[in-house]
Amino acid sequence: MTTRKDRLRKLVKVQEQLKALHETRHATFLTTAAAAEAEARELVERFDADQSLAGLFPDLYHRRIANALVRQEANQESARQEAALIATATARTNMVERAYKDVRRRDERERSDRERLDLIAQKRAHE
């Protein structure tokens, strides 16, 4: 049977992995949003450039710009949601870490108390 300390140690590890997952997803959403913004900016620059095909296909350019801006906003919203999940995961991780440290300190204190009692008992046995 596993001890509470072992279970808490494993739970801390799982919580840290979950937090890392949310941090990675957050970074991915931010990167994707930045790429969509850059795409929209590039399309606008090409649209305004001389000898651009935008004059022939203005609807296509407008649609691609609008789609890039929609993707940017969607990814920014997803990044905001992941940021909230990171905060939750951080709070949970901290809570589990505190519980693990408390249990570990209590176990160490109990072990040292037992060792002292054993030393006292050995000393009395020799007397």
Side-chain angles (χ1 to χ4, degrees):
M1 186 166 107
T2 60
T3 65
R4 183 168 192 258
K5 184 172 101 174
D6 293 336
R7 289 190 311 269
L8 284 171
R9 182 178 58 228
K10 289 177 186 176
L11 187 56
V12 166
K13 184 177 178 181
V14 169
Q15 285 298 131
E16 288 172 347
Q17 290 171 342
L18 184 60
K19 180 180 167 188
L21 171 73
H22 289 303
E23 289 171 344
T24 301
R25 287 176 50 108
H26 180 258
T28 301
F29 287 130
L30 289 178
T31 301
T32 306
E37 180 185 13
E39 179 185 347
R41 195 176 321 113
E42 180 183 331
L43 287 169
V44 168
E45 288 171 4
R46 275 197 256 160
F47 187 80
D48 294 336
D50 292 339
Q51 299 177 344
S52 172
L53 295 176
L56 298 174
F57 307 105
D59 291 340
L60 178 65
Y61 273 81
H62 289 293
R63 192 171 342 121
R64 285 191 60 200
I65 292 168
N67 286 341
L69 293 175
V70 166
R71 283 194 324 272
Q72 176 194 9
E73 182 56 38
N75 281 296
Q76 286 176 338
E77 178 58 31
S78 295
R80 282 188 285 275
Q81 291 172 0
E82 285 299 322
L85 292 173
I86 290 169
T88 302
T90 300
R92 285 182 181 154
T93 301
N94 292 342
M95 183 178 64
V96 173
E97 282 178 341
R98 279 193 303 274
Y100 172 67
K101 288 175 184 177
D102 289 344
V103 168
R104 194 178 67 210
R105 271 187 251 125
R106 190 183 68 221
D107 284 353
E108 289 171 2
R109 191 171 41 249
E110 288 174 358
R111 184 177 43 241
S112 66
D113 289 348
R114 280 192 304 271
E115 289 172 358
R116 275 190 236 116
L117 288 173
D118 288 344
L119 287 173
I120 291 170
Q122 287 174 1
K123 186 175 179 182
R124 285 187 180 179
H126 288 295
E127 293 175 358

